[in-house]
Amino acid sequence: MNCLASDSEVLLEHGRRVPIEELDARFEDERAMVAGNELTSSPIQLFTEREETMVYEVETETGNRVTATADHPFATPDGMTALEDLAVGDEVLVQPFHGIEDEQPEEFTILSESDFDDENPQLVRALTDRDLLPLTSTDDAFDRLLKLVGFHTGDGAIGNGGQTWFYGEPEDLESIRADIRAIGFTPSKIYERDRSHEIDGKSFDTTEYSIRASSKAFQKMLLKLGAPSGRKIESDFTTPWYFDRLTNWQKALYASAYFGAEMSVPAAQHDKNLYCPKVSQTRVAETAGAGERFLAELASFLEDLGIETSRIERFETSSSADHETIRLRLGIKNDSENLIQFFSTVGYRYNQKKRRKSVTALQYLKTKKAVIDRRATIASEAKTMADGGTAVSEIKSEFDINERFIERSIWGGRKGRPRPPSDFPGFDEYCETVSVRENLTVPTRVESIEPVGEESVYDIGVAHDEHNFVANGFVVSNCGVRMMTTNLTYSDVRGHEEELVDALFDDVPSGLGGGGIVEGDIDTVEEVLARGVDWALEHGYAVEDDLLHCEDEGMREGADPSKVTQKAKDRGKNQLGSLGSGNHFLEVQRVTDVFDGEVGEAFGLEEDQIVVLIHCGSRGLGHQTCNDYLRKIEQQHGGLLNQLPDKELAAAPAGSQLAGDYYGAMNAAINFAWVNRQLIMHRTRRVFERVFDRSWEDMEMELLYDVAHNIAKKETHEVDGEQRELYVHRKGATRAFPAGHPDVPRAYRDVGQPVIIPGSMGAGSYVLCGGEASMDLTFGSTAHGAGRLMSRTQAKQDYWGGDVQQELQEQQQIYVKAQSGATIAEEAPGVYKDVDEVVRVSDALGIGDKVARTFPVCNIKG
């Protein structure tokens, strides 16, 4: 939610809704619903208010309305779009279920230890250890148990030995499993079995899916909460004893879960109407009265929400050998307004098929209502014009509707509201044209956008992969490193250092400003931003193995070149294939130590071997993109920035149009950076060919790995025992995935992802592999380098570039060349932390394990 009027209602967990301004004092204790890949809940982390801001009311063709600022992002089939970029007729995505008005439950004890006096003390301890005793009406666990009891009443069974069974479709059983885990118990896997049936002489087969919980404590708690035991047909269960004391949204948890198990799915009747959704049950004659009370209590609850039900029907059925049985049935009246109220406030839980169909039904009924409302308005206006003396021909020309409708409106004496036109689709036909997404959203068109003045607006931020706060400013440029191995040894290079450093300096552009290996145009830049290293492969600057040994195979999904500004592209077109300045470098190194022989062999590393390290990013294109979005963030989210401890943490809420645009631009800049390093590697191969008079293939100049620094990525990690998709922002860090992770290239999956940690040009660098503890401790990350001890300004005061260059050559046989002495001074070995200590900590923590150490032979800098 972003920049909404005070009365905009936020959908919260458990089907509650609340005006956004009321979240001010309680947002940290709430969970909002988020339409990501599925409709799910997420903690709210942020609440802000902006005073007196111009707002606009948006209305869709299905009657959805919201008042928001011009920069408020709306979900559309093509992604997030700011209101100011929407027009009448555009499609937006809506989630039609809006829930029940939030209300604080009356607090009372549902179950206490005294309710289990006759039970085994171990059973009581199992419940108290899970904080389920005492159980009160305000506990989150109670809300989950309400759903479980409701569904079990419809489609569950109590088995022997403490086994509690639930039956349903696999996707629905997964939701039940999640709630069982959330209250502290362990559900089984989903079981599957084929069953044969015979009804009225016809045989057919079905597949039955089920899960069970084997805890006696869980079973006993469900029974105490009102789940029926034994054969339901003979049971005298009604709604639970505490049902009347619950708030409406709590009652809806129980009822909607029962309806998910037992109520019929929305379906077409005739004449563009839907069948009355019905729920039924069979009881023996002795308990039929309890069955009627059960349905009457549900009907009373629905009536409190303004939902009309039919009279409870009672049918005699074919009696069993032992008992006379009665069939009982309750229906929701199929008046459109009534069905809209039911589907949008109660509906079905634990049944995705019915939920999706109810969303379609909601949109159909709202569309039909909007069409009828328009026809009723035209009929009224036509009658008024005729009564005022306007000629019928003129009235007909005034409205875009068939002439017969106008005539009947004027002379026909129509009673009641008009019907939809004959070409209005039936429900089944409509269902073929509407696709409900997994997150239960559907597209609908914008009917109007009107300014309504100035008022205070509110904003919340949630901790979810679609609505998280994506950090800005530090990630666009995708600084990173790649290491290339060779079959050369240090002795092969001795005597060629000066020639090699001069040739690399001449052939690999470096320093500030323009100049690159490829002088492209805007079309070239667009392709690079979209395709990454695949572009380099097509144009002869890469081979297939280069892509296979690059993070993400050298192409970030979700890259959107259209979100990179023209100014950034103009800067990038002259810098494609260049080192830049600062701490970026190209360094020829020798392997001095191999700490892990097995992993070293997998990486193709051995002592005394020559390798090449390339450290650079997306140059001016990335820097410009960062600046462009920082300005936009300051303009659109000033209220959020004022709450941050440091302005350098400037961010836009994920899920907002701005955040979506920036993420697309960042991914495009990452692609640019990978191509930039690929072009430098290509040129380096050519330099080695000239200096050593053999082909790069003969020298086995192969990419070990390219790993990005300083980027944000969507990844799946375990948080509080659950797998969640997160934005992982690695500023000053690099990825370090362990062995077995599916995102590690196949060549290294058995040993772990290569991790490259550059040190200073006088101290060497390290190659690590992702450690086993990295996923648990650091979201699969470790440090990305030694890190500075002093600023560049201080470095230039303390060091003289010429002296540093001379000392490196004379004392350590390291040949360095740069555009200026100042650059060498800024990067003097003394301005960096001890890389040995940085790596020691990483290795000791198990987040990045030492594999090999390298030492510089020659180095070029911008």
Side-chain angles (χ1 to χ4, degrees):
M1 296 292 178
N2 183 321
C3 304
L4 297 174
S6 60
D7 60 352
S8 301
E9 293 184 319
V10 181
L11 184 62
L12 302 178
E13 187 178 37
H14 301 318
R16 300 168 294 138
R17 66 175 191 267
V18 63
I20 191 170
E21 67 173 341
E22 294 184 13
L23 290 171
D24 187 6
R26 52 189 263 217
F27 71 90
E28 292 178 306
D29 300 322
E30 290 290 0
R31 295 176 67 91
M33 299 303 294
V34 177
N37 293 331
E38 59 184 11
L39 190 65
T40 188
S41 66
S42 173
I44 302 175
Q45 293 184 318
L46 182 70
F47 180 94
T48 63
E49 177 181 358
R50 253 198 304 175
E51 296 180 352
E52 301 310 308
T53 304
M54 186 65 185
V55 293
Y56 302 79
E57 183 181 72
V58 183
E59 183 174 0
T60 69
E61 63 184 359
T62 49
N64 301 83
R65 292 177 181 168
V66 69
T67 301
T69 55
D71 61 349
H72 175 74
F74 284 78
T76 75
D78 297 321
M80 302 302 295
T81 302
L83 173 54
E84 60 192 348
D85 295 325
L86 288 174
V88 171
D90 287 348
E91 283 192 332
V92 293
L93 295 176
V94 295
Q95 200 291 107
F97 180 86
H98 66 270
I100 296 173
E101 183 179 352
D102 187 35
E103 179 185 355
Q104 181 63 32
E106 169 198 355
E107 185 169 3
F108 62 97
T109 299
I110 304 291
L111 294 174
S112 65
E113 289 191 31
S114 62
D115 292 299
F116 297 86
D117 282 346
D118 297 332
E119 303 297 335
N120 188 314
Q122 289 184 344
L123 184 150
V124 176
R125 186 161 55 251
L127 296 175
T128 55
D129 287 348
R130 292 169 171 82
D131 293 325
L132 296 174
L133 286 181
L135 183 70
T136 72
S137 57
T138 57
D139 291 339
D140 179 72
F142 174 61
D143 297 328
R144 297 180 189 277
L145 284 162
L146 277 172
K147 292 186 290 180
L148 293 171
V149 172
F151 188 87
H152 191 274
T153 298
D155 236 340
I158 297 296
N160 296 325
Q163 293 189 353
T164 307
W165 291 90
F166 297 84
Y167 303 91
E169 293 301 313
E171 62 179 341
D172 306 319
L173 293 175
E174 287 293 356
S175 298
I176 293 173
R177 292 177 78 240
D179 276 333
I180 292 174
R181 282 195 301 267
I183 60 175
F185 295 98
T186 302
S188 72
K189 67 177 184 180
I190 296 176
Y191 297 102
E192 174 182 345
R193 68 169 177 168
D194 295 326
R195 303 195 67 178
S196 297
H197 306 269
E198 184 173 332
I199 298 178
D200 296 331
K202 295 182 178 180
S203 299
F204 59 95
D205 296 326
T206 61
T207 301
E208 178 187 83
Y209 300 95
S210 62
I211 63 168
R212 72 166 185 254
S214 298
S215 167
K216 292 181 179 179
F218 175 78
Q219 183 183 90
K220 185 60 67 172
M221 170 159 277
L222 248 59
L223 291 172
K224 294 283 186 181
L225 289 173
S229 61
R231 297 183 67 208
K232 293 175 187 174
I233 192 172
E234 299 173 358
S235 174
D236 62 353
F237 73 87
T238 61
T239 58
W241 64 267
Y242 49 79
F243 190 74
D244 283 344
R245 297 183 65 178
L246 303 180
T247 62
N248 278 335
W249 63 262
Q250 288 179 309
K251 291 177 182 178
L253 294 177
Y254 174 89
S256 62
Y258 177 72
F259 294 153
E262 292 295 309
M263 184 172 277
S264 60
V265 68
Q269 185 184 33
H270 58 79
D271 195 25
K272 304 176 178 61
N273 291 326
L274 301 186
Y275 274 114
C276 165
K278 295 177 180 178
V279 63
S280 59
Q281 57 179 235
T282 301
R283 304 274 186 117
V284 298
E286 292 82 357
T287 62
E292 286 197 68
R293 287 196 301 276
F294 174 78
L295 294 179
E297 286 159 359
L298 292 180
S300 177
F301 152 64
L302 294 170
E303 184 180 2
D304 289 343
L305 295 178
I307 300 168
E308 292 186 76
T309 59
S310 61
R311 177 179 57 84
I312 296 172
E313 299 174 281
R314 185 180 179 115
F315 308 92
E316 291 188 7
T317 65
S318 299
S319 299
S320 67
D322 300 323
H323 300 283
E324 177 188 354
T325 57
I326 306 291
R327 186 76 168 166
L328 303 167
R329 187 165 67 191
L330 174 72
I332 309 296
K333 289 189 175 179
N334 67 344
D335 169 77
S336 290
E337 292 281 3
N338 196 55
L339 290 179
I340 289 172
Q341 179 68 1
F342 173 71
F343 291 139
S344 65
T345 58
V346 181
Y348 311 92
R349 276 186 172 82
Y350 293 146
N351 195 311
Q352 281 295 99
K353 177 182 176 181
K354 292 179 183 178
R355 292 184 77 186
R356 284 192 283 266
K357 203 61 176 282
S358 70
V359 166
T360 308
L362 269 171
Q363 288 303 96
Y364 178 75
L365 294 169
K366 287 183 175 182
T367 302
K368 185 173 76 168
K369 179 180 181 299
V371 169
I372 292 173
D373 286 347
R374 176 177 177 271
R375 290 165 69 84
T377 299
I378 291 174
S380 176
E381 291 180 1
K383 184 69 167 64
T384 299
M385 291 173 70
D387 291 344
T390 304
V392 173
S393 60
E394 185 177 341
I395 297 174
K396 290 178 178 178
S397 66
E398 182 73 17
F399 301 103
D400 181 22
I401 201 166
N402 72 75
E403 295 183 357
R404 176 60 180 154
F405 180 83
I406 296 294
E407 292 171 356
R408 292 188 65 241
S409 299
I410 296 173
W411 299 310
R414 178 186 293 110
K415 295 181 181 179
R417 287 166 57 80
R419 294 180 179 180
S422 58
D423 62 352
F424 188 80
F427 182 58
D428 287 339
E429 182 183 353
Y430 180 84
C431 289
E432 295 177 0
T433 67
V434 175
S435 176
V436 180
R437 301 185 174 205
E438 289 298 313
N439 59 16
L440 303 180
T441 62
V442 287
T444 185
R445 296 194 181 279
V446 174
E447 183 76 18
S448 65
I449 302 173
E450 299 291 341
V452 293
E454 294 188 351
E455 59 179 278
S456 295
V457 292
Y458 303 84
D459 187 20
I460 63 171
V462 297
H464 184 268
D465 57 339
E466 295 296 331
H467 289 271
N468 201 349
F469 273 73
V470 178
N472 290 268
F474 308 110
V475 299
V476 170
S477 62
N478 175 20
C479 170
V481 293
R482 65 169 48 197
M483 178 173 282
M484 179 168 47
T485 60
T486 76
N487 60 16
L488 301 176
T489 64
Y490 184 42
S491 62
D492 293 327
V493 175
R494 293 299 302 270
H496 296 281
E497 296 97 326
E498 193 165 354
E499 178 187 5
L500 188 58
V501 76
D502 287 341
L504 288 169
F505 189 80
D506 289 340
D507 280 27
V508 178
S510 61
L512 294 170
I517 291 172
V518 173
E519 295 294 332
D521 53 17
I522 292 301
D523 289 341
T524 299
V525 173
E526 292 269 4
E527 278 202 74
V528 168
L529 293 171
R531 298 172 55 195
V533 183
D534 183 59
W535 173 90
L537 177 65
E538 179 182 334
H539 289 81
Y541 300 113
V543 294
E544 285 283 356
D545 276 354
D546 294 339
L547 277 68
L548 297 177
H549 292 81
C550 185
E551 183 177 353
D552 293 333
E553 296 190 359
M555 185 180 75
R556 284 293 297 135
E557 293 183 3
D560 189 348
S562 71
K563 304 307 180 185
V564 178
T565 66
Q566 187 63 43
K567 186 175 182 179
K569 292 172 184 175
D570 286 338
R571 292 184 67 178
K573 70 180 181 180
N574 297 319
Q575 296 180 337
L576 194 53
S578 60
L579 276 176
S581 59
N583 67 339
H584 293 155
F585 62 84
L586 187 158
E587 194 168 83
V588 178
Q589 304 173 332
R590 58 189 172 96
V591 178
T592 58
D593 302 275
V594 175
F595 306 105
D596 188 321
E598 180 181 351
V599 180
E601 182 178 359
F603 287 179
L605 296 174
E606 57 186 33
E607 289 187 8
D608 209 40
Q609 176 187 11
I610 292 297
V611 297
V612 179
L613 192 64
I614 299 168
H615 179 210
C616 63
S618 53
R619 296 296 323 274
L621 180 141
H623 188 269
Q624 186 64 50
T625 301
C626 173
N627 285 340
D628 291 338
Y629 280 90
L630 279 176
R631 299 294 81 78
K632 292 179 181 180
I633 291 167
E634 290 169 356
Q635 293 166 9
Q636 297 186 27
H637 297 289
L640 302 183
L641 299 189
N642 291 335
Q643 299 189 36
L644 297 175
D646 191 323
K647 294 296 185 183
E648 293 295 322
L649 298 175
S656 68
Q657 174 68 28
L658 183 56
D661 288 352
Y662 185 39
Y663 193 65
M666 183 199 71
N667 288 333
I670 292 169
N671 284 343
F672 187 99
W674 274 324
V675 172
N676 192 40
R677 293 193 287 275
Q678 180 66 41
L679 289 172
I680 293 171
M681 188 175 83
H682 169 77
R683 185 62 63 86
T684 301
R685 284 167 167 167
R686 295 291 178 256
V687 168
F688 270 67
E689 284 179 331
R690 291 202 312 273
V691 171
F692 297 102
D693 193 28
R694 68 189 88 162
S695 72
W696 70 263
E697 291 92 346
D698 286 344
M699 290 180 282
E700 298 178 357
M701 299 185 72
E702 297 171 350
L703 179 61
L704 168 61
Y705 197 60
D706 184 309
V707 61
H709 296 168
N710 296 339
I711 66 169
K713 295 183 73 172
K714 285 185 181 180
E715 295 174 357
T716 299
H717 292 270
E718 183 173 308
V719 180
D720 297 330
E722 297 182 0
Q723 293 293 317
R724 294 178 56 190
E725 190 178 38
L726 309 170
Y727 284 108
V728 181
H729 171 212
R730 296 185 174 98
K731 173 60 182 173
T734 188
R735 203 175 75 172
F737 283 176
H741 196 285
D743 286 342
V744 176
R746 189 171 301 278
Y748 308 130
R749 199 164 295 166
D750 290 341
V751 295
Q753 176 211 307
V755 179
I756 305 165
I757 301 185
S760 74
M761 58 187 174
S765 303
Y766 279 83
V767 179
L768 314 181
C769 66
E772 290 185 0
S774 67
M775 302 305 287
D776 293 331
L777 297 181
T778 59
F779 296 96
S781 310
T782 190
H784 86 317
R788 297 185 71 91
L789 287 171
M790 67 175 68
S791 69
R792 298 185 186 279
T793 300
Q794 183 64 43
K796 285 185 286 188
Q797 293 173 355
D798 291 358
Y799 295 95
W800 182 255
D803 292 343
V804 173
Q805 187 178 28
Q806 185 175 350
E807 289 174 6
L808 287 171
Q809 183 173 336
E810 292 178 354
Q811 297 179 17
Q812 301 189 63
Q813 289 77 52
I814 300 171
Y815 290 77
V816 177
K817 195 163 187 177
Q819 292 286 349
S820 69
T823 297
I824 296 177
E826 291 174 0
E827 298 300 308
V831 306
Y832 280 89
K833 298 174 185 175
D834 182 357
V835 68
D836 297 329
E837 179 62 12
V838 171
V839 170
R840 185 196 66 78
V841 172
S842 178
D843 186 77
L845 289 173
I847 58 177
D849 303 329
K850 288 196 299 184
V851 177
R853 190 179 192 278
T854 64
F855 194 79
V857 174
C858 57
N859 179 299
I860 67 168
K861 301 181 95 51

